[in-house]
Structures are given as C-alpha cells and as structure tokens.
Amino acid sequence: MKYKYCAKCQRSYIRSRLEGDRCIYCGTDCETIDVKRNGLYYFGYTLMLIGAASVLIPRFMTVTGPSLFVYTGIAVVVAGAVFVVMGSTKMAKTAEEMALSEEKE
Ligand SMILES: [Zn+2]
C-alpha cells in the first residue's frame, strides 16, 4: 500500500495512481512510503467477505428467518469496514513515522 507523507502539511494519506509525487494539499514534492497492510486491515476485509457471504446465504437455502442472515451479514460488513478504516489510519500513521525517522538519519 503506497502512502505519501508531506513534511510541510505534516500529514500522510493513501497515494492514488492519478497523482504525481506532489502533495495534493500544498503541491510540494513529498515522499512516497510503502507500508505493509497490517492485521487490522486484513481482519476487516475478512469480516466484510464473511458478512457478504452471510447476506447471500438465504438466496441459496430456504431457511426460516432469512432476514436474520441478511441483518447479521450487513452488521458484519459494517464492522469489517470499521476495521479496514482503523487499519488504514494505522498504516497512515506508520507511513508518517517511517518518513520522520528517515529524515533524522
Ligand atoms: Zn503538503
């Protein structure tokens, strides 16, 4: 996952392919840092997949109270999304720390 860290704005964010190496906020050149996806991120994605699968279960089986699967599934997908956001926030923080420690050397 590529992150950018701008020393001028003191903020890190996910680098999108459309942008160059310039900061999207102030336009100065900034560092690109490669951060490994962390456990929270993967955990969130797994939850989202499980939730999505749960929503689909009633379509393949005639179970009693299929809405239970749907509501639980949606709740699990939402919870998964929260973990993904938490994971991304943590990775942005890691990118920032990495950029700052590089500057000190
Ligand atoms: Zn900036």
Side-chain angles (χ1 to χ4, degrees), residues 5-11 13 22-30:
Y5 176 74
C6 175
K8 204 176 161 192
C9 303
Q10 292 193 318
R11 64 199 301 177
Y13 51 91
R22 286 176 187 281
C23 172
I24 56 167
Y25 300 103
C26 66
T28 51
D29 286 335
C30 51

Side-chain angles (χ1 to χ4, degrees), residues 30-71:
C30 51
E31 279 188 80
T32 300
I33 301 124
D34 210 353
V35 182
K36 274 186 184 161
R37 287 170 178 81
N38 56 23
L40 271 176
Y41 190 86
Y42 284 118
F43 181 63
Y45 260 108
T46 309
L47 275 184
M48 283 171 82
L49 287 176
I50 293 167
S54 179
V55 171
L56 292 174
I57 284 171
R59 292 186 183 216
F60 301 107
M61 314 191 291
T62 43
V63 282
T64 46
S67 60
L68 183 71
F69 281 99
V70 175
Y71 291 131

